[in-house]
């Protein structure tokens, strides 16, 4: 059997610190349970970081961009050139994720894993093109085995950069016209569901467009369906989706919490967790998106999203909006007084 970097062990959150964190929450100056899910999040962050003073101060955001051959089947409301045009928009600071990264003082990088056209040098954009977009997976596998490993490695490297730069939280985002079609195909493949149950409007398809998209996905599944995560990624994935899966896997190995964004990043997380179930504790889920299939993916992962705002933009934008919730949970856990410290009587 060949050994790959993702076969290395996933870290385990510190069980002793977790137990102490539960005790601490019971001692803080509030009725027990009154901070709701913020208490769970504080406890989880304490266990992940191995301290009762968890912090989510340094946030690292990597947006992976790639094109999709399946766009030739007419599955997107937007033309393929938009992928490269949006990478330029990220570089200029004009995209939603650019604004949110500035607002929260988070580090934002963009990794081009596969635009159809090579891009000029752009500030904050790394060139890691695996190829000129994925192949049209209705007709042939989306990528070769070598391309899959290269894309996974691009994600690995992004998580490494985050850790080396002292990040306390990794946020993955994606940009790629056609990528809701790829994410839906992967999800249907891994969950054994028909495309009609998961296909949604993506960038804004009408009902007829969604029906067509579901038929395209069914044709691809008839040829390429697999319940094996790496096979599903290779045959039906996009370079940016594989890169996200690689990033989440490396975050687990490094003990770096990751905040999953919307439908496409959750499909990548599903593939990563199916490959390595012990990754699950390292992933937070930011929101339930308006893309109709997202709820099914979250349920399959037993994931409880932090927000529901009707967002469906991608780029990591929903995850960025949820960052202050994790910051609040960490600050409350670390900073509140205990009843004993405050001289407050308990119930």
């Amino acid at each position: 059997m060949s050994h790959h970097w993702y076969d290395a062990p996933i870290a385990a959150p510190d069980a002793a610190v977790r137990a102490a964190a539960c005790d601490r929450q019971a001692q803080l100056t509030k009725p027990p349970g009154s901070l709701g899910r913020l208490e769970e999040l504080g406890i989880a962050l304490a266990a992940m970081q191995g301290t009762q003073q968890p912090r989510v101060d340094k946030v690292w955001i990597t947006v992976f961009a790639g094109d999709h051959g399946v766009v030739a089947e007419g599955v997107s409301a937007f033309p393929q050139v938009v992928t490269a045009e949006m990478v330029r928009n990220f570089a200029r600071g004009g995209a939603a994720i650019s604004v949110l990264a500035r607002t929260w003082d988070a580090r934002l990088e963009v990794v081009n894993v596969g635009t159809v056209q090579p891009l000029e040098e752009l500030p904050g954009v790394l060139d890691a093109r695996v190829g000129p977009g994925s192949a049209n997976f209705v007709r042939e596998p989306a990528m070769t085995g070598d391309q899959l490993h290269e894309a996974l490695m691009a994600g690995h490297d992004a998580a490494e950069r985050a850790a080396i730069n002292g990040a306390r939280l990794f946020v993955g985002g994606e940009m790629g016209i056609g990528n809701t079609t790829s994410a839906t195909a992967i999800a249907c493949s891994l969950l054994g569901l028909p495309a009609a149950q998961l296909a949604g409007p993506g960038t804004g398809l009408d009902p007829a467009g969604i029906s067509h998209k579901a038929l395209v996905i069914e044709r691809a599944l008839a040829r390429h369906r697999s319940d094996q995560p790496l096979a599903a990624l290779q045959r039906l994935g996009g370079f940016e989706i594989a890169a996200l899966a690689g990033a989440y896997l490396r975050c687990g190995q490094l003990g770096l919490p990751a905040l999953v964004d919307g439908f496409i990043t959750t499909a990548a997380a599903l593939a990563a967790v199916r490959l390595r179930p012990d990754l699950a504790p390292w992933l937070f889920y930011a929101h339930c998106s308006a893309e109709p299939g997202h709820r099914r993916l979250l349920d399959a992962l037993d994931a409880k999203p932090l927000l529901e705002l009707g967002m469906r933009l991608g780029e990591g934008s929903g995850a960025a909006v949820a960052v202050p919730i994790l910051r609040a949970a960490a600050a409350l856990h670390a900073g509140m007084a205990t009843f004993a410290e405050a001289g407050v009587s308990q119930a």
Side-chain angles (χ1 to χ4, degrees):
M1 164 160 171
S2 61
H3 284 282
H4 296 287
W5 65 264
Y6 46 76
D7 296 324
I10 302 277
D14 190 317
V17 172
R18 185 183 178 84
C22 291
D23 288 347
R24 177 171 170 76
Q25 279 291 333
Q27 297 299 318
L28 299 179
T29 46
K30 58 181 169 57
S34 61
L35 282 174
R37 288 198 53 205
L38 293 175
E39 299 186 9
E40 286 171 43
L41 295 169
I43 290 165
L45 286 163
M48 288 167 163
Q49 295 183 3
T51 175
Q52 300 307 328
Q53 303 287 309
R55 286 157 55 189
V56 189
D57 47 348
K58 280 192 149 182
V59 176
W60 182 282
I61 305 169
T62 302
V63 177
F64 299 97
D67 273 315
H68 293 260
V70 75
V71 166
E73 303 292 332
V75 292
S76 176
F78 278 77
Q80 188 165 53
V81 290
V82 169
T83 305
E85 289 167 354
M86 280 299 296
V87 172
R88 295 190 182 98
N89 190 26
F90 295 136
R92 285 193 299 266
I97 193 60
S98 315
V99 172
L100 292 166
R102 283 198 298 276
T103 306
W104 306 147
D105 200 21
R107 175 82 173 269
L108 172 64
E109 65 167 20
V110 180
V111 179
N112 178 7
V113 282
T115 54
V116 167
Q117 303 296 323
L119 281 163
E120 66 278 13
E121 269 196 45
L122 293 164
V125 179
L126 279 74
D127 181 26
R129 266 171 95 242
V130 175
S134 60
N136 181 351
F137 59 63
V138 174
R139 306 181 187 286
E140 60 188 304
M143 61 190 89
T144 65
D146 285 348
Q147 286 179 320
L148 171 63
H149 289 290
E150 227 180 300
L152 288 165
M153 197 68 198
H156 167 286
D157 293 349
E160 290 267 304
R161 284 191 297 275
I164 288 164
N165 282 280
R168 309 272 183 173
L169 181 71
F170 179 87
V171 172
E174 43 56 48
M175 175 64 218
I177 295 300
N179 66 6
T180 57
T181 300
S182 175
T184 303
I186 292 164
C188 289
S189 192
L190 294 178
L191 298 176
L193 292 172
Q197 284 191 26
L198 285 178
T203 50
L205 296 173
D206 62 9
I210 297 170
S211 295
H212 170 69
K213 179 174 168 177
L215 287 171
V216 168
I217 292 165
E218 281 301 344
R219 282 166 55 207
L221 289 169
R223 180 171 285 205
H224 296 306
R225 186 186 280 283
S226 171
D227 61 1
Q228 298 304 303
L230 293 179
L233 282 172
Q234 184 189 328
R235 298 172 192 176
L236 299 163
F239 298 140
E240 81 282 38
I241 298 175
L244 283 161
Y248 297 140
L249 288 163
R250 189 63 184 147
C251 282
Q253 291 175 341
L254 294 167
L256 175 61
L259 181 57
V260 179
D261 181 34
F263 180 68
I264 291 143
T265 57
T266 304
L270 177 67
V273 170
R274 283 285 169 97
L275 185 66
R276 298 298 304 274
D278 45 350
L279 172 64
W282 294 99
L283 303 179
F284 293 106
Y285 294 85
H287 70 126
C288 184
S289 90
E291 186 66 16
H294 194 206
R295 174 77 63 194
R296 301 293 290 268
L297 268 64
L298 292 167
D299 289 347
L301 284 156
D302 201 19
K304 290 194 289 185
L306 301 177
L307 300 169
E308 189 151 1
L309 295 169
M311 294 178 71
R312 52 177 179 83
L313 173 58
E315 306 176 0
S317 58
V321 169
V323 163
I325 292 176
L326 291 180
R327 284 184 168 165
L332 290 163
H333 188 87
M336 280 182 71
T338 64
F339 282 101
E341 287 164 353
V344 173
S345 302
Q346 287 184 261

